Amino acid sequence: MGNLPYYITSPIFRVFFGYGEQHFAGGVFMIQKEVADKISEDAGKKSFLRWLLNYAHSVRYLKTVPAKAFKPAPKVTSAIVGLTGKESDGTEKEYADLLVFLDLYCPYSRKTLGAISTMLNKK
């Protein structure tokens, strides 16, 4: 359980939940609402962090925490999310492949990925 510093939430999640070793069964975290919206199971936009966390964990958006709940009030809205580990099905190798794929392709915009796909399909 933790209240993560908002500016380093992604690196923390990647270290604790992003390497497929499943040492953590899950947790409850208060994070910036925008990040919670991106990583929840039913997120519309599929971000790097969403794929990374949802592969081995169920990520549930639990509650919005308004800025006025804190003194002094921060400039952002917070959210509480719960991560619950999924049963291991022996796909650790596939998880390693997913990480390689995400590391290679997530830094690029969709337009760039479209151009790369077009070039590869012209063979």
Side-chain angles (χ1 to χ4, degrees), residues 12-30:
I12 289 173
F13 277 152
R14 184 170 177 133
V15 168
F16 287 119
F17 299 104
Y19 293 109
E21 297 173 2
Q22 309 313 311
H23 294 298
F24 296 94
V28 177
F29 302 95
M30 186 174 333

Side-chain angles (χ1 to χ4, degrees), residues 9 43 49 59 61-62 76-77 82 88 95 111 113:
T9 298
L49 195 56
V59 181
Y61 189 105
L62 301 174
V76 298
T77 303
S88 178
Y95 191 76
K111 290 179 183 177
L113 287 178

Side-chain angles (χ1 to χ4, degrees), residues 7-9 30 43 47 115:
Y7 59 95
I8 59 169
T9 298
M30 186 174 333
S47 68

Side-chain angles (χ1 to χ4, degrees), residues 6-102:
Y6 295 159
Y7 59 95
I8 59 169
T9 298
S10 293
I12 289 173
F13 277 152
R14 184 170 177 133
V15 168
F16 287 119
F17 299 104
Y19 293 109
E21 297 173 2
Q22 309 313 311
H23 294 298
F24 296 94
V28 177
F29 302 95
M30 186 174 333
I31 59 177
Q32 189 171 353
K33 183 181 183 313
E34 289 78 16
V35 175
D37 289 337
K38 288 181 183 180
I39 66 170
S40 63
E41 286 177 315
D42 57 350
K45 186 176 178 182
K46 309 298 190 257
S47 68
F48 176 92
L49 195 56
R50 185 219 175 263
W51 283 110
L52 191 70
L53 294 174
N54 281 273
Y55 185 84
H57 296 83
S58 294
V59 181
R60 294 179 307 131
Y61 189 105
L62 301 174
K63 182 177 177 85
T64 300
V65 181
K68 66 182 180 180
F70 301 96
K71 297 250 190 259
K75 295 179 182 177
V76 298
T77 303
S78 301
I80 299 173
V81 295
L83 278 75
T84 307
K86 295 178 182 175
E87 290 294 320
S88 178
D89 58 0
T91 57
E92 285 77 19
K93 173 66 173 129
E94 291 175 19
Y95 191 76
D97 293 341
L98 174 67
L99 281 175
V100 169
F101 176 80
L102 291 173

